[in-house]
Amino acid sequence: MRLGPTERDRLLIFGTAELARARRARGLRLNVPEATALIADTVCEAARDGLRLAEAIAAGRAALAPDDVLPGVADVLTEIQVEAVFEDGSRLAVLPFPLRSPDFPLHSPDFPLHSPDPTADGVAAGSPEGARHTAPGAVLPAGPEEATDAAYAPRAAALSLPVRNTAAVPVSVTSHFHFFEANPRLEFDRAAAYGMRLAVPAGSSVCFDPGGTHTVGLVPLGGDRTAIGFAGLVDGPLDAPGARTEALRRAAACGYLGAAGSDAHREEGEA
C-alpha cells in the first residue's frame, strides 16, 4: 500500500495518540507530543464521525484536562492546529489553549491570546503572565537587545481590511497564508489583499466567527514573493506580469466573495 504525506502524517498522529491513551490508562501523565497527538486525533475522528468543525473542536478541547498532563505542559501547549477531513472537505481546526476548560473565557484580560513580552514593564515574576514564559519548554529571548532587534520586531500593518464570514462555521486563517486565497466564504476586497498576509506573529491565526465582521491588518508577503499551493489561484510569482489579473479572474470564476468586479474599476482608473 502506497501512502502519501497526508496519510503518513495521519498514521503518525494516530500511533502517538494510541500510545498516549495506553500510558494514560496506566495512570501516567502525558508530555507535550502525547497530549498534542491525542487531542489532534480526537478532532480528526470527530470529523470522520460526521461532526461539524465547531463540534470537533469542542471534542478536542474536552479530550484532556490539565491534571492529565505533566506539570508545565498546559502552559507550553498554547495552540494545536490540525487539518481534518469533514463531510464537506478538509478544514483546519485551530484549538487555542486546548488544555483549558472549554468554558474558559479565552478573551478575558486574565488570559490573553498572545502572552505579553516578559521584558515589558508590569509583568511580575510571580504573575500568571510571567509563569507562562518560565514554563518548561517556553522560548525566552536572550536579552532586551535581541528582543527589540528590528529583525524580530512585529511588522506594522500596511493595510486594514474588514472581513465578513458568510459561512455557517468558524473560519481560521493562519499567519502566512496568502490572504487573497483565504476561504471563498470570507467576504472582503480580494484585490486589495493580493500578495498580503495577516499582520500577526508567525504560527498564530485569526478566527472569523460565523456571520461576524472583523477588521484585520495585512502586510505584504516577503521573500521571493512566490505563492505555491494555497488555493491554487496564483501558483507562481506574485508580481509576474498579469499574475494579479489572472488570479482575480480565477477567484471570481470559483465564486470567491469579494473578487468579482473588485479590481476592474481600479485597473481602469490606473490605465
Side-chain angles (χ1 to χ4, degrees):
M1 179 174 62
R2 302 185 64 179
L3 300 175
T6 300
E7 289 79 14
R8 289 197 295 268
D9 288 345
R10 181 68 188 95
L11 285 176
L12 178 61
I13 292 173
F14 173 75
T16 308
E18 287 294 284
L19 176 63
R21 293 186 179 100
R23 289 178 173 174
R24 185 185 177 199
R26 301 203 309 267
L28 299 177
R29 302 177 77 178
L30 306 181
N31 57 26
V32 171
E34 293 164 350
T36 301
L38 194 152
I39 293 171
D41 182 70
T42 300
V43 173
C44 290
E45 288 305 298
R48 185 68 176 83
D49 289 338
L51 299 184
R52 299 177 67 88
L53 177 61
E55 296 170 324
I57 289 175
R61 290 183 57 80
L64 292 173
D67 290 341
D68 294 321
V69 297
L70 291 167
V73 170
D75 295 311
V76 173
L77 200 55
T78 57
E79 184 176 85
I80 292 177
Q81 298 184 13
V82 59
E83 188 172 358
V85 181
F86 294 84
E87 291 183 343
D88 56 350
S90 296
R91 295 182 182 275
L92 180 67
V94 181
L95 289 77
F97 305 101
L99 291 171
R100 300 291 178 177
S101 165
D103 299 323
F104 196 92
L106 294 180
H107 296 280
S108 75
D110 297 328
F111 199 61
L113 285 176
H114 299 294
S115 300
D117 185 347
T119 64
D121 294 335
V123 180
S127 69
E129 289 81 3
R132 288 190 197 104
H133 290 280
T134 57
V139 177
L140 299 176
E145 295 80 8
E146 289 79 4
T148 57
D149 189 275
Y152 298 97
R155 296 174 63 186
L159 171 70
S160 293
L161 204 63
V163 180
R164 185 169 73 96
N165 180 11
T166 67
V169 297
V171 174
S172 292
V173 181
T174 52
S175 60
H176 281 62
F177 195 92
H178 184 205
F179 201 75
F180 169 83
E181 302 183 63
N183 192 294
R185 296 298 93 197
L186 293 179
E187 186 176 20
F188 59 91
D189 187 346
R190 300 271 170 179
Y194 183 83
M196 311 282 276
R197 67 169 180 85
L198 288 168
V200 297
S204 61
S205 61
V206 174
C207 183
F208 301 91
D209 294 327
T213 299
H214 182 57
T215 299
V216 298
L218 302 178
V219 295
L221 286 164
D224 60 4
R225 289 183 54 79
T226 299
I228 300 294
F230 300 112
L233 299 180
V234 181
D235 270 341
L238 288 162
D239 302 320
R244 186 169 177 268
T245 301
E246 176 60 16
L248 278 164
R249 186 196 66 77
R250 291 180 182 178
C254 293
Y256 280 72
L257 296 179
S262 65
D263 204 44
H265 300 298
R266 188 174 308 173
E267 291 194 347
E268 288 176 2
E270 292 174 353

